[in-house]
Amino acid sequence: MPIAPMTNAVGIDLGTSTIKLISENYQYRIPSLIGTPNPGWQGMSSDKSWLNNLIIEDSKGQEVYIGELARLQSEIRKPLASEGKMKSIDNSLLALKAILSLIMKSSYEQFVVATGVPIATGVEESKKLSRGLKGTHEIKVRNDATGEAKQMKILIEQVFIAPEPYGTYWHSLKTSGVQTAVDSIIVDVGHGTTDILCMYKGNMMRAASGSIEEAVDSLTNALSRAIQEKSGKIIRPFDLMTAIEQGKNNILVGGKALDIGKAMDQAVGSIADVIVDESNRLLNNLPPDAWIEKVIVCGGGAYVFGDYLKAAFFEANIVKNKEEVIMPKNAVMSNALGFEQIALTKLKKQ
Ligand SMILES: Nc1ncnc2c1ncn2[C@@H]1O[C@H](COP(=O)(O)OP(=O)(O)OP(=O)(O)O)[C@@H](O)[C@H]1O
Ligand SMILES: [Mg+2]
C-alpha cells in the first residue's frame, strides 16, 4: 500500500515564560527554558513522559535539557526570551525542534510551522529564526527518565512568523465568523509581559504596538510584598500562582489563614490601569480614521484581569460598550490555536 507523505500544520506560541504548541489533537505547554545537563539516577522519576524529560543534542553533539526538565534539574538555565523579546535564536531553534519531536509518529515527517514571537522581537531576529527553521533537520532526543533515545528527520517546508497576539486576532476572527478585518487591539496578558498589538484595516500597526512588564508576575510580586508587610512572613511570588489560578482569597501563611482579597483587588486594579494607559498611549499612533471595534484580551492573565480590563477599557472610552471587550474561550492557548489555523491555510495553498 503506498503511503503518501503527509505534512503537519503546527501552531506555536514562543512566549517569554512558556512555549505552546498545537497540532491536531496535540497540545503542549512547556517552560521557555533550556539548561545544562545534570544527570541523575535513571528510572527513579515517577513521571516518565517525554514532555517532562526532554533532552536534545545540539549541533556540537552536546546534550541540552529542554522545558520542564531544565526548570527542575539544570543548574544553569537560560530563558529563551525576556524583556519582551527573543534572546538566542539558536536556543529557540533547539527548543522548537525538541517539541516538534513530541508530535512525530514516524522517523520522517514534514511540517508547515506558524509561530508567534514576543512583540518586541526585531525583524532581523524573526528572519533568522525563519531561515533557521526552514529545511531539513536531524533531531536526536533522549528521555531523561527512561534513557530511551530517538533519532528522526524533519522537513520544515514553510515558516510563518508574527507577533504572538496575531494568533489570537486570527483565531477570534475565525471563531466569531467575521470575515472582514475589524480595527482592534489585542491585549495578551502573560506571565512576565503584556503584549499589545493594534490592528488597522487588517494590518499590524508597529508604532501602535508594544509590550510592558506589568503582567501576572507583577501581581504575585505585589501580593508577596503585601503579605510580608502584614504578617512578616515571606511567601515567594511563584508560590502564589496556584492560589491566583484557583481564585482563592484565603491562603495559609505560617499556619494562619490570611485574607488576601483586598490586597488582590487593589493590585489587580492598579496593574489593569497601567495596561489600559499603555494601550491608550499606543492608540495615539493610529491614523485618525481608525475605529476600534474590539478589544481582545488573552493570555493567562485574562482570567484574573479580564473583568477589570473590561471596565477600564470602557471607562477610558476606548470602547463604546463593555461587550466590545472579548476574551477567547481558551485564553492561554488562543495564540497557538490561531497560528495552527494560519499554518493550515498555508498548507492548503501548497
Ligand atoms: N485559569 C487561570 N486563572 C488565573 N491565572 C491563570 C490561569 N491560567 C494561567 N494563569 C496565569 O497566567 C500566567 C500564564 O499565562 P500565559 O501562559 O499567557 O503566559 P506566558 O505566555 O507564558 O507568558 P508571556 O506572555 O509573558 O511569555 C501564569 O502566571 C499563570 O499563573
Ligand atoms: Mg504569552
Side-chain angles (χ1 to χ4, degrees):
M1 200 164 48
I3 299 170
M6 224 190 62
T7 304
N8 308 283
V10 181
I12 298 169
D13 175 355
L14 197 58
T16 48
S17 61
T18 48
I19 303 177
K20 287 103 174 164
L21 178 142
I22 299 189
S23 180
E24 269 186 284
N25 302 321
Y26 297 97
Q27 283 208 8
Y28 293 119
R29 280 177 72 181
I30 68 166
S32 295
L33 286 174
I34 79 163
T36 51
N38 194 6
W41 297 284
Q42 213 163 69
M44 302 292 281
S45 145
S46 58
D47 181 351
K48 299 199 170 20
S49 67
W50 274 95
L51 181 66
N52 295 329
N53 290 286
L54 200 49
I55 304 177
I56 188 166
E57 231 177 63
D58 69 11
S59 55
K60 296 184 207 95
Q62 247 134 32
E63 293 199 324
V64 177
Y65 286 13
I66 303 289
E68 187 64 7
L69 182 65
R71 186 176 80 84
L72 293 181
Q73 304 292 4
S74 291
E75 251 164 47
I76 302 165
R77 293 181 288 264
K78 290 181 206 143
L80 296 176
S82 69
E83 283 114 38
K85 54 175 110 170
M86 278 194 345
K87 289 213 109 165
S88 153
I89 302 293
D90 290 339
N91 289 347
S92 301
L93 280 170
L94 217 49
L96 287 179
K97 284 184 215 166
I99 36 174
L100 281 178
S101 79
L102 296 173
I103 60 175
M104 304 244 327
K105 293 176 250 7
S106 62
S107 58
Y108 176 77
E109 277 178 41
Q110 291 147 220
F111 295 95
V112 170
V113 174
T115 178
V117 293
I119 212 154
T121 304
V123 179
E124 261 323 301
E125 288 152 309
S126 297
K127 275 192 192 149
K128 215 175 141 193
L129 180 66
S130 172
R131 275 199 298 268
L133 272 173
K134 242 183 234 167
T136 315
H137 306 275
E138 288 276 355
I139 299 179
K140 285 184 190 165
V141 283
R142 202 163 65 78
N143 182 319
D144 184 58
T146 62
E148 188 191 345
K150 282 198 275 194
Q151 194 165 342
M152 44 197 115
K153 210 170 176 175
I154 60 171
L155 169 63
I156 300 183
E157 294 170 350
Q158 282 190 68
V159 179
F160 175 85
I161 297 178
E164 287 160 54
Y166 185 71
T168 293
Y169 172 73
W170 186 280
H171 177 68
S172 302
L173 282 191
K174 293 282 153 187
T175 47
S176 65
V178 180
Q179 293 302 318
T180 49
V182 193
D183 294 354
S184 39
I185 322 174
I186 304 93
V187 181
D188 178 348
V189 190
H191 181 73
T193 50
T194 292
D195 282 5
I196 301 164
L197 175 72
C198 277
M199 298 293 302
Y200 167 70
K201 294 192 194 303
N203 294 308
M204 295 182 245
M205 303 302 282
R206 280 183 290 265
S209 303
S211 88
I212 49 171
E213 280 189 18
E214 277 75 12
V216 178
D217 194 23
S218 341
L219 176 62
T220 49
N221 281 325
L223 282 178
S224 158
R225 273 196 305 274
I227 292 168
Q228 198 179 348
E229 267 165 35
K230 182 111 193 240
S231 68
K233 297 273 190 309
I234 295 171
I235 300 269
R236 282 177 307 170
F238 182 82
D239 295 326
L240 288 164
M241 238 155 69
T242 329
I244 288 177
E245 283 178 24
Q246 293 168 352
K248 276 193 182 152
N249 275 342
N250 286 302
I251 61 162
L252 214 56
V253 179
K256 292 201 187 81
L258 193 72
D259 185 355
I260 54 167
K262 222 170 139 196
M264 176 101 158
D265 281 346
Q266 231 170 41
V268 169
S270 52
I271 293 165
D273 284 345
V274 176
I275 294 173
V276 175
D277 281 352
E278 180 65 9
S279 306
N280 228 340
R281 196 185 67 76
L282 289 168
L283 281 174
N284 285 329
N285 298 330
L286 281 182
D289 62 309
W291 187 260
I292 298 298
E293 282 184 49
K294 287 274 180 282
V295 176
I296 309 170
V297 182
C298 62
Y303 296 102
V304 218
F305 295 102
D307 290 341
Y308 276 83
L309 286 174
K310 208 171 227 198
F313 274 112
F314 174 68
E315 273 150 32
N317 228 349
I318 293 174
V319 290
K320 293 290 160 277
N321 66 65
K322 287 185 188 169
E323 280 63 56
E324 290 175 3
V325 183
I326 56 170
M327 242 174 80
K329 221 189 257 153
N330 191 344
V332 171
M333 297 303 271
S334 55
N335 288 334
L337 282 164
F339 282 114
E340 189 201 13
Q341 282 161 336
I342 292 170
L344 274 170
T345 313
K346 308 255 166 210
L347 184 66
K348 282 183 193 137
K349 279 196 194 135
Q350 273 187 353

